[in-house]
Amino acid sequence: FYAGYIQDDWRVRPTLTLNLGIRYQFQQTPYDVENRTQWFDPTLGRPVTSLSGGVRNGIVDPDWHNVSPRVGFAYTPSFSKNTVVRASGGIFYATDYFNILQILVYGPAFYTTQSLYSDPSTPTLSLTNLFPAAALGGSGTSDNSLYKGNRTPYVQEWSFNVQHTFSKDWLFSVGYIGNMGRRGDSWVNINAPRVDPTGLVPIQQRVRWPNYSWVSQTSNMGMISYNGLTTQLEKRLSSGLYFLGSYTYSHALSRLADGLDRASDNFDFDVLDKQNSDYDQRHRLVLSYLYDLPFGRGKQFLAGISAPADHLLGGWKLSGITSFTTGQPDTPVLATDWINDGPFTQARPDKVGNPVPANRTYTNWFTSSAYVAPGCPSVASVFPYCADGTTLGNHIEGNAGRRSLYMPGMNNWDLSLMKDTRVKENLLLEFRAEFFNVWNHT
């Protein structure tokens, strides 16, 4: 991994400062030191190895184009000395998702799997006899692969912010934050079966390579985006009170990029998979506060009490963090592989009604009857039949949107009560009681 950068702060005028920079980085795709890389070659329909010259060691071709410009400025307008305008933007490259690199050797010639079973009533396996010599063997798999043309994932980020101070201890800011991520790692089954609306044709008769099940290829198809309006009001510590309130209105979208989503190449990713991101929270309000209670010697109340009484009644502080957020989205899915697409498939139903009930409660958050299996009057119970057990449904992907159901939000209060007592000049005793989710909200 190599990286270099040039950066400079340029004070154009007393009221305007520019921050300019450019960075370049190159990262070698990790490879096996003994040249043991396995790859599923789509043109041959079988795995090949770097040891035999069938593929580059490490599979992925080098990416030499990772140039990252950065630019930002801070400006104080002459007509408002208490206002600062800031903006910035840049490109930031990611590193490899190292957990997927196990698949470089996950296949025949270098890797096998084996299952050993003990007698359920009288155990026949133990730690001293876990791998009996006669049972060694097993079989190899070649159902994972990397796309040779993968490029380095990157994120474009930008922001704009205006801050203004008023009175003597108040600060207000409003801004916009955005980012766009490209080339995120995603899993795609390149041996996906052809769609069979009848649900009767076996999977192996509908795939490109019948000798293999699913062949999961990690490709740079992922996309994420985030756009947020941020506001912040801060009261700096004065008269014993500090307060900070932050509100964000935002929307996050993604396509095959949340935790290595897996999809079938039968479907239009932009239509079926470009939806709300799993971390999308439209509204978020966070309040932070610290209040030095006005009781005790030298305070607003009980200022003249004795020293022993002040040890008991003075020096108390209340602090907390209060958060209100809307919920995160989830995806409606059927309990069975309704499209008969193989492992890891989440079949979606058809949306036929409003999933939000008229009188919504936490025990009645969704109306499940708003969804049915495609071609069925109700949700399917046993593949390939509808709930009546005799009617064949239409075994295609339903129209229910990915991450279209929003879960309940959060209403959380964390509070703390503290007291400082000066025992001696060099000895301070602190009492602290902290309460997390003090109102016990689920």
Side-chain angles (χ1 to χ4, degrees), residues 47 55 69 137 139 148 164 174 180 189 231 240 258 260 270 274 366:
V55 67
S139 61
K148 293 176 64 176
H164 179 74
V174 60
M180 181 74 73
N189 181 13
T231 59
D258 296 341
L260 281 178
D270 282 325
K274 184 180 179 182
F366 295 125

Side-chain angles (χ1 to χ4, degrees), residues 31-340:
Y31 58 89
D32 187 82
V33 294
E34 297 185 18
N35 203 24
R36 298 170 303 180
T37 300
Q38 179 270 147
W39 178 63
F40 188 91
D41 189 336
T43 60
L44 300 178
R46 60 177 175 82
V48 297
T49 68
S50 57
L51 201 59
S52 62
V55 67
R56 171 194 293 270
N57 189 11
I59 299 176
V60 179
D61 297 329
D63 185 359
W64 303 96
H65 305 94
N66 301 339
V67 179
S68 308
R70 317 284 172 87
V71 62
F73 74 84
Y75 172 64
T76 300
S78 58
F79 56 84
S80 180
K81 298 299 184 181
N82 293 335
T83 301
V84 177
V85 181
R86 294 183 176 91
S88 64
I91 297 177
F92 304 85
Y93 284 90
T95 57
D96 288 288
Y97 186 69
F98 285 96
N99 189 50
I100 68 171
L101 297 178
Q102 59 183 310
I103 69 177
L104 297 181
V105 296
Y106 194 70
F110 310 126
Y111 185 93
T112 64
T113 60
Q114 183 181 45
S115 299
L116 301 175
Y117 300 95
S118 181
D119 189 304
S121 57
T122 305
T124 56
L125 294 176
S126 66
L127 289 178
T128 58
N129 187 34
L130 189 59
F131 301 109
L136 291 178
S139 61
T141 62
S142 58
D143 50 9
N144 291 276
S145 188
L146 286 171
Y147 177 56
K148 293 176 64 176
N150 280 347
R151 305 291 83 183
T152 308
Y154 68 91
V155 177
Q156 297 169 305
E157 297 183 0
W158 56 88
S159 66
F160 180 82
N161 185 271
V162 179
Q163 292 181 317
H164 179 74
T165 59
F166 57 95
S167 186
K168 65 177 181 179
D169 49 23
W170 287 91
L171 170 68
F172 175 75
S173 65
V174 60
Y176 163 66
I177 301 174
N179 65 54
M180 181 74 73
R182 287 288 186 264
R183 303 173 182 169
D185 288 329
S186 304
W187 291 354
V188 176
N189 181 13
I190 61 175
N191 198 33
R194 298 184 303 276
V195 175
D196 170 35
T198 68
L200 301 176
V201 181
I203 289 179
Q204 295 308 112
Q205 296 182 21
R206 295 184 284 118
V207 297
R208 180 179 178 185
W209 302 294
N211 292 331
Y212 300 90
S213 58
W214 54 281
V215 179
S216 182
Q217 178 177 270
T218 303
S219 306
N220 289 149
M221 299 177 62
M223 179 281 296
I224 59 172
S225 70
Y226 175 88
N227 291 278
L229 170 68
T230 64
T231 59
Q232 179 176 297
L233 178 65
E234 180 180 13
K235 181 188 183 302
R236 296 175 177 132
L237 185 63
S238 62
S239 303
L241 176 64
Y242 171 82
F243 172 80
L244 174 64
S246 302
Y247 169 73
T248 302
Y249 172 70
S250 64
H251 190 195
L253 295 170
S254 67
R255 181 188 66 221
L256 302 177
D258 296 341
L260 281 178
D261 285 344
R262 182 177 179 277
S264 165
D265 61 2
N266 279 324
F267 308 115
D268 187 335
F269 299 134
D270 282 325
V271 174
L272 288 174
D273 286 290
K274 184 180 179 182
Q275 301 286 348
N276 301 310
S277 177
D278 60 357
Y279 57 86
D280 180 45
Q281 288 182 306
R282 298 298 172 90
H283 302 275
R284 181 175 179 85
L285 173 66
V286 181
L287 308 175
S288 306
Y289 37 89
L290 170 66
Y291 186 42
D292 189 355
L293 298 179
F295 303 103
R297 303 185 75 175
K299 300 294 181 65
Q300 183 178 358
F301 302 103
L302 305 178
I305 60 175
S306 64
D310 187 58
H311 284 335
L312 179 64
L313 300 176
W316 288 96
K317 298 178 182 179
L318 178 68
S319 67
I321 301 175
T322 301
S323 303
F324 301 96
T325 66
T326 52
Q328 295 171 252
D330 208 339
T331 305
V333 296
L334 293 168
T336 59
D337 180 11
W338 185 246
I339 57 177
N340 197 18

Side-chain angles (χ1 to χ4, degrees), residues 2-6 22-26:
Y2 303 94
Y5 69 92
I6 300 173
I22 191 168
R23 171 188 173 96
Y24 175 80
Q25 71 183 52
F26 170 76

